[in-house]
Amino acid sequence: MSTAERDEHGSGRTGTVLSGLAVAVGCVLFLGGFAWAAWLYRPYTVPTDSMAPTIGRGDRVLAERITGDEVRRGDIVVFEDKVWGSVPMVKRVVGVDGDKVACCDPQGRLTINGQPVEEPYLQGAGPASPTPFSAAVPPGHLFLLGDHRSDSVDSRSHMAGTGQGSVPRETVRARVDATAWPVSGWGMIERPDAFAALPGGTSRPGPLPLIVTAAGVGAALIFGGAAYGPLARRRSRSPGRTAVSSHG
């Protein structure tokens, strides 16, 4: 075997090794991303229009498993409370421990402790609530509203109770991070800027973008590595390339 042939043979072997390494790393990233997502996130289907237009009826969302202590104003949470029917429900948190939540100010806005909150995510251009209300949130509780205020059964419907419509933090099961279905509406759900200015700020998004990126890179490495291996071996065995190399 000539020097050129040995070089071509070595190149092909190197290509095979790199191909196998790319596929192996890709599998770790791809499968690891899915395992991470399955451990951290739960899918839910929203059965009503109460969170429109942010989340529509029948939309599939991905919600990060969290404890109630991690919830901040503006979060969209999945919770279960026996007073509300002991079934998973999806609503937006607008008030936390000690807040006074009221509606509406002269401009039709929701107020938190007297401070007006702009809510660009609401359905329609009317006031933040078609019916006025005022509630004090007890310690360890959350006050929740739907984004479609005229078509949402939420804390306003339970204000006759001891918690003035709020629910205990421990009823929270997860926080919605993204819409997964339909594909046309896929994307992360942003934290509202208006709540960021209030004490405690807003929560940080979960690691879903990182998980999706890891899985995407893993898939690319798997397909790229699987394709590169045969091409490298075919290139190293090409008669034309061997003949030219030998002539040199």
Side-chain angles (χ1 to χ4, degrees):
M1 181 183 293
S2 67
T3 301
E5 289 174 329
R6 286 195 297 270
D7 289 344
E8 291 290 349
H9 181 71
S11 176
R13 185 166 53 190
T14 300
T16 300
V17 171
L18 290 176
S19 170
L21 181 60
V23 171
V25 173
C27 286
V28 170
L29 289 174
F30 185 74
L31 297 177
F34 271 94
W36 188 10
W39 175 72
L40 196 58
Y41 284 89
R42 292 186 62 184
Y44 291 91
T45 299
V46 179
T48 71
D49 288 320
S50 69
M51 282 303 297
T54 308
I55 305 171
R57 181 194 297 266
D59 284 3
R60 193 78 164 170
V61 299
L62 294 177
E64 181 185 4
R65 302 171 194 261
I66 62 168
T67 64
D69 293 338
E70 301 174 66
V71 176
R72 299 290 184 270
R73 300 182 194 89
D75 286 346
I76 298 175
V77 298
V78 180
F79 66 100
E80 294 182 41
D81 184 74
K82 61 182 180 180
V83 176
W84 295 49
S86 294
V87 294
M89 302 190 73
V90 179
K91 302 291 179 187
R92 188 184 296 274
V93 176
V94 299
V96 297
D97 325 56
D99 282 346
K100 182 178 181 180
V101 184
C103 198
C104 301
D105 75 351
Q107 285 73 46
R109 296 172 296 185
L110 182 77
T111 63
I112 308 294
N113 302 322
Q115 183 171 338
V117 176
E118 298 290 345
E119 298 182 279
Y121 46 77
L122 293 183
Q123 176 73 35
S129 176
T131 56
F133 69 90
S134 178
V137 185
H141 284 64
L142 304 168
F143 196 86
L144 306 116
L145 299 176
D147 288 356
H148 195 336
R149 299 284 161 81
S150 62
D151 190 26
S152 176
V153 178
D154 47 39
S155 288
R156 296 169 298 171
S157 305
H158 300 278
M159 292 186 63
T162 56
Q164 287 196 279
S166 61
V167 301
R169 282 182 176 267
E170 59 263 26
T171 63
V172 172
R173 300 291 176 261
R175 176 172 52 219
V176 177
D177 255 1
T179 301
W181 185 264
V183 175
S184 59
W186 190 92
M188 297 293 293
I189 294 178
E190 301 295 330
R191 272 45 171 182
D193 292 336
F195 291 101
L198 297 174
T202 54
S203 63
R204 299 181 62 181
L208 186 59
L210 179 60
I211 293 173
V212 172
T213 299
V217 171
L221 287 172
I222 291 171
F223 286 110
Y228 180 73
L231 288 176
R233 289 192 295 270
R234 183 179 301 175
R235 180 173 177 271
S236 67
R237 296 169 183 172
S238 172
R241 289 188 59 83
T242 302
V244 171
S245 299
S246 297
H247 180 73

